[in-house]
Structures are given as C-alpha cells and as structure tokens.
Amino acid sequence: VMVDLNPGSIPGVSAVAGSIFGGDKKFLVESCGDLVLVDMYLSVGPEDDLGYNEALEFYEEFDCFMSERTVKFKVFRLDRGRERWVEVSHLGDTILCLGDNCTFAASASELNFPGQGNCILFTDQFFHDREDDGGSKGNGIGVFDLESGSIGPITSYEGYSESFWPPPAWV
C-alpha cells in the first residue's frame, strides 16, 4: 500500500500491487529508482535436512538446539504501471545488502568490489555461529548468487570478507 500525506488534505491509502505470498521475511530496497521486494526463505533444522519437514514433531522437541538459516531468495521489482510485482532473475551489476535494520543497493563496479554484482549480501546468524575463528571475518554475513542460486558464508567468496572488515553498520 501507499500512504498519500498531502498537506492540508486527508491522508489517502491505495494499493500499488498485490501481495507476494511465500517466503518467511520480506525486505524493501530502492535500487536505481525501482522499488524491489526481496523474499527470504528460511529453514529450521539440521543443515542436511534440505528444508524437508517429514518429522516436524522431532524438530519441535529439539528446537532449542537448532538455528534458523537462510536457504534461498526471490527478488521482485514493482511494475507501477501494471500495479504488480514482477520476478527478477538477474540484478546486473547490483548488489543488494540486507540487514535487520537497513537495506540498500549498490553497484559492484562503482564500489570497486572484488566480486561481481547479481548477488545479495545478508546478515545470518547461522553463518556467524559456524565460524571456527570466532566470526572475525565472516561476522554472520551470507552471500546469495542469483545466477547460480548458491548460498554460503561470505568467507567462501574470495575477497568478499576483506571488504567487510571491520563490519559495516548495516551488519
């Protein structure tokens, strides 16, 4: 929805697009003048469960021993004219950065970023907890590559973790 707050008039509310269902956590990001919705999918359970919940009761009994982890993302761009969200399969040179209290988009080439664009950097406690060195360079940051669909800790991507040390404020 969009809230219209014109001075001297009654605030108006209008729908700008239908809802996106699925995913577990949603982020809004402004990217090159477009409004982008990022849908994060989470899983709770052992790392090798691949998101299957055949034994949900088992997981509920031991939920205090498991941590939530991000397993994939879907990205949508708002088509204002058609009033709908359109799924995006490629971000070009753009990197989306998602934190709990901050989201933004940046150009990989303008930042002289060691990697390419077309990825999402995000905070994720699952990766922080797994760091053998106390999380000094990983600091709970994951990387999702839109082209391959691969996801992993930032330390798995050469040159990335050095760009985020010390950790930026959005982490």
Side-chain angles (χ1 to χ4, degrees):
V1 298
M2 178 174 64
V3 178
D4 186 9
L5 297 173
N6 287 325
S9 65
I10 298 173
V13 177
S14 60
V16 295
S19 298
I20 294 292
F21 295 100
D24 298 292
K25 195 172 185 180
K26 295 181 176 19
F27 299 87
L28 290 176
V29 186
E30 186 278 323
S31 176
C32 302
D34 285 329
L35 184 60
V36 174
L37 182 143
V38 181
D39 208 359
M40 175 187 271
Y41 289 75
L42 304 171
S43 178
V44 176
E47 181 179 3
D48 61 353
D49 77 348
L50 302 175
Y52 299 114
N53 290 325
E54 293 124 2
L56 187 59
E57 297 82 26
F58 172 80
Y59 291 152
E60 289 173 352
E61 291 292 320
F62 297 99
D63 65 341
C64 60
F65 300 109
M66 295 182 236
S67 73
E68 187 175 75
R69 71 183 183 287
T70 305
V71 293
K72 75 175 183 177
F73 290 90
K74 287 188 178 180
V75 180
F76 302 87
R77 179 187 55 80
L78 178 62
D79 182 335
R80 294 173 198 253
R82 294 172 45 200
E83 297 182 345
R84 57 179 255 172
W85 294 103
V86 178
E87 190 165 0
V88 175
S89 59
H90 201 276
L91 295 171
D93 182 49
T94 302
I95 299 170
L96 300 179
C97 299
L98 310 176
D100 287 333
N101 299 311
C102 179
T103 62
F104 62 92
S107 164
S109 58
E110 287 180 19
L111 293 174
N112 294 318
F113 194 67
Q116 301 175 357
N118 199 34
C119 66
I120 299 171
L121 302 178
F122 60 99
T123 57
D124 193 304
Q125 288 303 311
F126 182 75
F127 295 129
H128 187 291
D129 295 339
R130 296 174 45 113
E131 293 299 321
D132 294 329
D133 64 353
S136 62
K137 292 283 185 183
N139 206 43
I141 302 173
V143 178
F144 178 77
D145 182 310
L146 259 72
E147 186 168 339
S148 68
S150 65
I151 193 167
I154 197 167
T155 53
S156 297
Y157 296 82
E158 191 172 328
Y160 279 43
S161 58
E162 289 77 15
S163 298
F164 288 91
W165 193 256
W170 67 271
V171 171

